[in-house]
Amino acid sequence: MVKLQQSSKQLVDLGKLQAKWVSATLVKKSEAQDYVNEEDQGFAALLARHVDVPTAAWHRLLAALGAEQQDGQFWHRRSIFLLPVVSPYNLAAVLWQLTILLLDLVYTAFWVPMNVAFCTAEYGNLHSGCTVSDLVGGCFYFVNVLVSFQIGVVATHGYRKRTVEDGGLVAWLYARYGRFWLDFVASVPFIYLVVLLAGSFKLNKSWVNCLSLLRLLRMVRLVSISKVVYVDSLSGRFQDSSIARRLSVTVLYSALLAYQLAVAINLLACIMVLCAYFEGYENSWMSSVSWTRLWEAAPIYQWYCAVYWMIVTTTTTGFGDFQPRSAAEQVVANVAMVGGMVMFGVLVASIGNALSRATAEAHQAYGSRRKIMHVKEWAEHRALPPIISKQVQNFYADKYGRKQEDAIDMAVMSELPSRLRAKVARAMVVPLMADCHILMELPEDLQSLLAENMRPIRLPAGEDLCQQGDVADCFWVLQDGTVQAVRYKEGSVTIDASETPRLLGEGVLLGDVVEECRVRPWTLRTVTPCRLWGLPLQDLLPLMRMYPAIGLLAAEYVKFKVVYTYNGDSTDDHWCELAAVIVKYMQEHVPDDEATEMVADLFKTSAEEQTLQPMLEQMLEMCASRNTTGGTTTTMLLQQARYRRQAQHLHLVPRRRPQR
């Protein structure tokens, strides 16, 4: 124990020096990302093209962007039309997005339903203003589909963002996660109208009337617009916009609800006018009043009366002046009544609830963004180099961006009863063990026992799992993310779990039989936000005592990993922290003939016969003492290690740790 304490103290000192060296020299490539600034929130998400991508797509996007980097410069593929891609922050791109937004909010929301209601009879006639206006509006939507492949996108994931101007990636993001299908659906009526005008065939009037209803598909575009505005109003993003300095979230949210109500009433009124057209004006609801001949009135007055009737119906006032005269009109009236009760009930009941919730969420989101901005200002005030300032900002962006998700994981796992928690952990971790070295060799029942005791861990970029010289008290299964292993004066190794899970800190599995494994040989630091499962030593040790096969399999794996890696025959792409230390030491500090002999002796040992563990302990002891011993002492230790292994194999001397 005294020697263990001395060795630990020595490695702790080395670990502190290593930490300073890493902080001064290590640059994380993945942290060269931007974070979402305050000015990118709120209405900016409607103008500059923002696309929210899930975690898997985000990692795929980062890998694609990283592969495009050559000699510090980015090359961008052209669009699918072989033209250069325009930046989403380009003035022309922003103005085009603003034009389409206004077209959606005014033309699609109000004019398209009115056009369907009053211009169906003249649909397809170029001499009609309705057809011309529909053709012009459809032309804008069709051109928007094509232009959207030419404008770059801002891919966002939580608080992080990446500006994408590569033609292939833009097309992928727009078609998979953007509004491509909504834009395409909105263009279908225009395509139909062009075919109708250019075709030599003639359709009967009933077919024209039915197909003209396709123009209502443009209303689908309002779904995406309403979703963005609704989410922004609830999440508090408008708190950071210039509009929020003049209007409160309450006013913005109320204006959104009022706009949606106006769109719904106009749509129902236009459908009612369309029903009167198909059934004949004199036989429809227009003839239910005696004080005016509504079917002979101007279209604008007919529309006004329809709107009046829908307002009376949706508010359940029911004056009784207008009445349905057909089954179709009854259906529309029923929809208006039921929808009105729901809409106004939600309007009254949810304003207070939604605004109170939005206030709490807005303050939380706003506080997180303000924290990031304060950190940015602090870095500028302290004159930090840009790359270090970027790393600090990304750390806080990851920390606050994943805080809620982390809290949910921890809360669920902590609140579950022990047996159910074990079942959940087993269902989530056992599939990961099938791809992790050492663990994949364990029987299924042992894998289940280990998995039941593991707990989820989420860490932002830049966090240390452990430092070189720390006491080994846990091992981890890296489910997602990238970790960098650093050893003092030996550079670093990157462990990526994007394709397969990785086992980290496996030396703790040998800590009960190999004394040198009780101290961390590497510093493990997250490069990207990581999801892990950890098993602490206090839960692992009883399992190791009950099932010593775990330690035996770990020792045998380290042996074969060292032998095959040193001989260049290893086909195993897993990174083993102990094997990496031993192989690197023998390649750099041990003569070739002695190292070859040592590897051959190691291959002859067996964990089951208790000859492998002392050999590993001798090797790890020499690796840890390389900074304090000279070449002569090293040679002596090598000879002593071989002698003790042979003597122990023959039972000539007891197994004990040799003196330095």
Side-chain angles (χ1 to χ4, degrees), residues 514-545:
V514 179
E515 201 168 354
E516 290 292 338
C517 293
R518 301 175 187 176
V519 179
R520 296 291 186 192
W522 295 84
T523 291
L524 300 179
R525 176 167 297 165
T526 59
V527 177
T528 64
C530 294
R531 292 191 298 168
L532 308 98
W533 290 84
L535 180 58
L537 182 61
Q538 61 184 8
D539 296 329
L540 174 64
L541 197 56
L543 297 177
M544 297 282 293
R545 300 287 172 81

Side-chain angles (χ1 to χ4, degrees), residues 355-606:
L355 292 179
S356 61
R357 184 176 66 251
T359 301
E361 295 178 356
H363 282 305
Q364 181 179 0
Y366 182 71
S368 300
R369 286 191 291 273
R370 290 304 303 171
K371 179 68 174 179
I372 297 174
M373 295 306 299
H374 287 324
V375 169
K376 179 181 178 181
E377 295 172 358
W378 170 83
E380 294 176 352
H381 181 68
R382 295 294 185 272
L384 292 179
I387 186 62
I388 298 179
S389 175
K390 184 81 68 177
Q391 293 173 7
V392 174
Q393 294 172 44
N394 276 278
F395 170 78
Y396 280 100
D398 290 334
K399 179 179 179 180
Y400 290 111
R402 303 173 70 95
K403 190 174 182 180
Q404 184 177 4
E405 185 179 1
D406 299 347
I408 294 176
D409 285 346
M410 301 302 178
V412 170
M413 295 300 291
S414 62
E415 292 175 359
L416 291 176
S418 58
R419 191 57 189 166
L420 183 57
R421 181 171 62 243
K423 291 181 179 180
V424 172
R426 182 171 65 248
M428 299 178 68
V429 180
V430 169
L432 302 178
M433 292 182 174
D435 297 319
C436 295
H437 64 281
I438 299 178
L439 300 181
M440 68 174 64
E441 304 295 337
L442 296 176
E444 186 176 352
D445 56 342
L446 288 185
Q447 290 182 352
S448 299
L449 285 175
L450 292 175
E452 289 176 358
N453 292 276
M454 302 187 79
R455 297 294 178 267
I457 302 173
R458 291 181 180 269
L459 295 175
E463 285 280 354
D464 286 346
L465 284 171
C466 63
Q467 286 195 350
Q468 182 181 350
D470 290 348
V471 176
D473 58 355
C474 183
F475 79 87
W476 306 272
V477 174
L478 179 61
Q479 180 180 357
D480 185 29
T482 304
V483 171
Q484 204 155 35
V486 184
R487 186 170 168 84
Y488 183 60
K489 291 186 178 180
E490 291 188 8
S492 61
V493 179
T494 300
I495 304 106
D496 182 37
S498 60
E499 297 182 358
T500 180
R502 302 292 182 177
L503 178 63
L504 303 175
E506 67 274 11
V508 72
L509 299 175
L510 296 174
D512 198 32
V513 293
V514 179
E515 201 168 354
E516 290 292 338
C517 293
R518 301 175 187 176
V519 179
R520 296 291 186 192
W522 295 84
T523 291
L524 300 179
R525 176 167 297 165
T526 59
V527 177
T528 64
C530 294
R531 292 191 298 168
L532 308 98
W533 290 84
L535 180 58
L537 182 61
Q538 61 184 8
D539 296 329
L540 174 64
L541 197 56
L543 297 177
M544 297 282 293
R545 300 287 172 81
M546 293 174 59
Y547 303 97
I550 299 176
L552 297 180
L553 285 174
E556 288 290 340
Y557 178 84
V558 174
K559 179 186 76 172
F560 287 110
K561 184 69 173 178
V562 170
V563 172
Y564 290 127
T565 302
Y566 181 81
N567 294 329
D569 300 330
S570 177
T571 59
D572 184 4
D573 62 344
H574 295 283
W575 180 78
C576 177
E577 62 176 10
L578 300 178
V581 171
I582 295 174
V583 171
K584 188 173 184 62
Y585 177 81
M586 289 192 300
Q587 291 175 344
E588 296 182 357
H589 301 280
V590 180
D592 293 341
D593 54 346
E594 292 185 359
T596 302
E597 183 180 356
M598 192 174 184
V599 170
D601 291 342
L602 178 65
F603 184 74
K604 298 175 183 178
T605 59
S606 172

